[in-house]
């Protein structure tokens, strides 16, 4: 397999409103997590931290030049394996035990990490051959109704279980922007992980549908509009008639 040097591993794309997408282009799309960096006046937030194969702190030192809240949308390996690098780590209580004691089984790494996940490997031979998610115990638990105050902007925590029990979305009402994690993105959704729950899934989607959303930045795949969100949720309920 092709080897890519570590300084090529991450790609950073600036979006509107101080939002920036960080991702790992040599991980194939279905496995590639979107890391959302949101800049505030007093502190920044980073939603999810990716595969952990290459150090975010080393490759993107600007990340830690300012106070940073490293939020876990949920605790699957592709979203949390870089969290141990950051001092402030936030997660919903329902998955705090996984962030504190991650295993191949409870983070899904055992089911998904393999050669088919990569277009290329980073130049650290053991980081994928002996893949392990490092423990990153939470320093703050975040639940429904909490807010992350970044100074000049606030993100509301919505508990959106279904894909996993402690899944959260973050809602920025001022810009009508939703960060949805893995409960909703424009690609194949996973609703049959060991701790998924279909009824919770339906309730979470029904709730997101009520929000006046303009932009959705999900845990995987490209961002989309509020209109597309309604299509995707409508499609999901058509596929699950027993849950409507
Ligand atoms: Zn997930
Ligand atoms: Zn994911």
């Amino acid at each position: 397999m092709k080897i890519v040097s570590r300084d090529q591993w991450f790609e950073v794309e600036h979006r509107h409103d101080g939002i920036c997408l960080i991702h790992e282009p040599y991980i194939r799309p279905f496995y590639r997590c979107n890391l959302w960096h949101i800049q505030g006046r007093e502190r920044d937030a980073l939603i999810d931290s990716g595969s952990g194969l290459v150090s975010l702190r080393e490759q993107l030192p600007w990340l830690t030049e300012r106070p940073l809240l490293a939020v876990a949308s949920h605790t699957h390996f592709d979203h949390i394996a870089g969290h141990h690098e950051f001092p402030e780590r936030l997660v919903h209580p329902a998955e705090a035990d996984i962030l504190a004691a991650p295993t191949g089984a409870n983070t899904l790494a055992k089911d998904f990490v393999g050669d088919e996940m990569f277009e290329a490997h980073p130049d650290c031979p053991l980081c994928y051959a002996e893949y392990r998610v490092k423990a990153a115990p939470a320093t703050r638990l975040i639940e429904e109704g909490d807010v992350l105050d970044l100074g000049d902007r606030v993100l509301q925590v919505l508990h959106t279980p279904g894909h996993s029990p402690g899944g959260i979305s973050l809602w920025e009402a001022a810009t009508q922007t939703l960060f949805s994690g893995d409960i909703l993105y424009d690609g194949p959704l996973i609703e049959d992980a060991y701790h998924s729950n279909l009824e919770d899934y339906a309730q979470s989607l029904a709730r997101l549908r009520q929000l006046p959303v303009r932009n959705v930045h999900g845990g995987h795949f490209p961002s989309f509009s509020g209109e597309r969100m309604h299509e995707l949720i409508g499609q999901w309920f058509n596929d699950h008639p027993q849950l409507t």
Side-chain angles (χ1 to χ4, degrees), residues 31 50-51 72 74-83 95-113 117 131-136 163-165 182 190 193-195 220:
Y31 306 90
S51 74
H74 64 299
T75 57
H76 292 153
F77 74 98
D78 49 326
H79 297 259
I80 57 150
H83 268 64
E95 292 184 36
D97 54 339
I98 303 177
L99 198 61
T103 65
N106 68 15
T107 65
L108 301 183
K110 191 167 58 76
D111 299 331
F112 289 101
V113 177
M117 175 173 149
Y131 186 78
R132 276 190 61 236
V133 178
K134 291 190 180 140
H163 173 74
S164 69
D182 279 6
I190 296 181
Y194 72 96
H195 55 183
H220 298 267

Side-chain angles (χ1 to χ4, degrees), residues 162 191 196-203 236 240 242-243:
E191 52 196 37
S196 299
N197 179 303
L198 266 182
E199 277 157 26
D200 288 348
Y201 216 116
Q203 276 186 23
W236 192 91
H240 301 81
Q242 76 282 12
L243 293 165

Side-chain angles (χ1 to χ4, degrees), residues 105-159:
N106 68 15
T107 65
L108 301 183
K110 191 167 58 76
D111 299 331
F112 289 101
V113 177
D115 275 348
E116 66 286 353
M117 175 173 149
F118 298 99
E119 294 290 347
H121 284 156
D123 61 347
C124 48
L126 294 182
C127 62
Y128 49 91
E130 297 178 0
Y131 186 78
R132 276 190 61 236
V133 178
K134 291 190 180 140
T139 57
R140 177 176 164 194
L141 298 177
I142 44 172
E143 305 195 45
E144 175 65 36
D146 288 346
V147 294
L148 308 185
D149 184 352
L150 306 186
D152 54 345
R153 60 199 304 177
V154 289
L155 299 163
Q156 282 170 246
V157 177
L158 312 178
H159 183 210

Side-chain angles (χ1 to χ4, degrees), residues 28-48:
R28 295 208 166 107
F30 176 72
Y31 306 90
R32 184 192 304 156
C33 168
N34 292 330
L35 287 62
W36 295 104
H37 184 264
I38 305 157
Q39 190 170 7
R41 192 178 55 216
E42 282 161 30
R43 59 189 69 77
D44 302 337
L46 179 67
I47 306 173
D48 296 335

Side-chain angles (χ1 to χ4, degrees), residues 52-95:
L53 289 165
V54 173
S55 165
L56 277 163
R57 283 189 82 125
E58 281 171 22
Q59 299 307 324
L60 307 176
W62 54 269
L63 271 177
T64 47
E65 278 166 9
R66 292 158 39 83
L68 181 74
L69 307 176
V71 182
S73 70
H74 64 299
T75 57
H76 292 153
F77 74 98
D78 49 326
H79 297 259
I80 57 150
H83 268 64
H84 67 93
E85 295 199 285
F86 303 106
E88 291 190 72
R89 303 178 293 267
L90 290 67
V91 72
H92 188 275
E95 292 184 36

